Amino acid sequence: MTDGEQRSVRSSARGRPEATSHAAIEQAAFTLFAERGFARTTLDAIAEAVGVSRRTLFRYYQSKNDIPWGQFDRTLDHFRELLADQPDDLPVHAAIHRAVVEFNRFPADAHPPHRERMRLILTTPELQAHSVLRYAEWRQVIAEDVARRTGSLATDLVPQVAGHVSLAISLSAYEHWLARPRARDADLLTIIDDAMGGLRGYLRA
């Protein structure tokens, strides 16, 4: 046994919390969701599959409903960065359009697959109430950026509607993509790109 292994055993004997990762939890959870269904999969079952305690699981995700969304706070931070990176002289609709397309760029070998993740989020009744909260956070990121670009408040009508319209367009694009199971993952970006073109009419000013 190496010195590192001996230290690990001693630490475990003193009761140090088990170590895992967000990715390990998500992969185990999605496997169980596919086998049992979302509603019949318990947090205890996920913890057992990962090899950690329920308490450790709560250090990574506050609830089962949070797991399909992954590390959503980090995802929103990435979205803010994408919007902030768009040139200030770019029309507002174009800035949002570009950022939303890039936001939805995921590696083809993602685990769990992005299509599987989004199908679960969009088609699972038990997740809908929780999803409303996530959608509101996503819309707010857009509203704040539109407000910055237009010299208005994020609570003003145009920034708020821009967030709602962008979300509706994105969800429609995802529903279209999910209805085409043979489509390549890259086609998602084309679908979103085409759909986001509709934002021009509302924000053409």
Side-chain angles (χ1 to χ4, degrees):
M1 181 179 290
T2 66
D3 290 343
E5 288 171 334
Q6 290 173 345
R7 286 194 298 271
S8 177
V9 169
R10 288 196 294 270
S11 297
S12 297
R14 290 196 298 269
R16 192 178 80 174
E18 307 97 314
T20 185
S21 68
H22 289 87
I25 293 170
E26 288 179 38
Q27 291 180 36
F30 271 82
T31 297
L32 291 173
F33 294 155
E35 294 173 352
R36 308 179 183 184
F38 183 82
R40 292 189 297 276
T41 299
T42 65
L43 281 173
D44 287 333
I46 296 171
E48 181 180 357
V50 178
V52 299
S53 68
R54 182 186 177 98
R55 176 179 295 181
T56 297
L57 202 63
F58 280 125
R59 293 193 180 100
Y60 292 84
Y61 292 101
Q62 294 182 358
S63 71
K64 183 176 71 171
N65 290 346
D66 287 306
I67 295 176
W69 289 90
Q71 300 181 67
F72 193 64
D73 289 342
R74 292 180 60 182
T75 300
L76 291 183
D77 287 341
H78 176 57
F79 194 21
R80 291 187 182 94
E81 292 172 0
L82 288 173
L83 286 162
D85 286 344
Q86 304 307 314
D88 288 338
D89 59 353
L90 199 65
V92 177
H93 70 83
I96 298 175
H97 184 147
R98 291 184 183 181
V100 169
V101 170
E102 286 304 310
F103 175 78
N104 287 284
R105 189 182 297 277
F106 293 89
D109 60 350
H111 294 288
H114 189 54
R115 183 186 291 272
E116 183 179 337
R117 184 188 297 276
M118 293 308 299
R119 187 182 301 281
L120 183 71
I121 289 173
L122 293 176
T123 64
T124 304
E126 294 84 0
L127 278 171
Q128 297 313 300
H130 187 73
S131 294
V132 169
L133 302 176
R134 295 307 192 203
Y135 294 153
E137 294 176 84
W138 191 88
R139 294 196 314 264
Q140 187 63 18
V141 172
I142 289 182
E144 290 170 358
D145 190 75
V146 172
R148 178 182 67 82
R149 291 174 182 276
T150 59
S152 56
L153 298 175
T155 53
D156 287 347
L157 182 61
V158 170
Q160 286 293 310
V161 174
H164 279 274
V165 171
S166 299
L167 177 63
I169 290 172
S170 297
L171 291 179
S172 296
Y174 267 103
E175 289 172 358
H176 181 76
W177 179 59
L178 291 174
R180 302 166 64 238
R182 295 185 179 181
R184 292 179 293 108
D185 287 344
D187 288 342
L188 171 63
L189 298 182
T190 300
I191 294 168
I192 293 177
D193 186 40
D194 291 343
M196 286 300 295
L199 196 62
R200 179 189 300 270
Y202 180 74
L203 292 173
R204 59 179 177 270

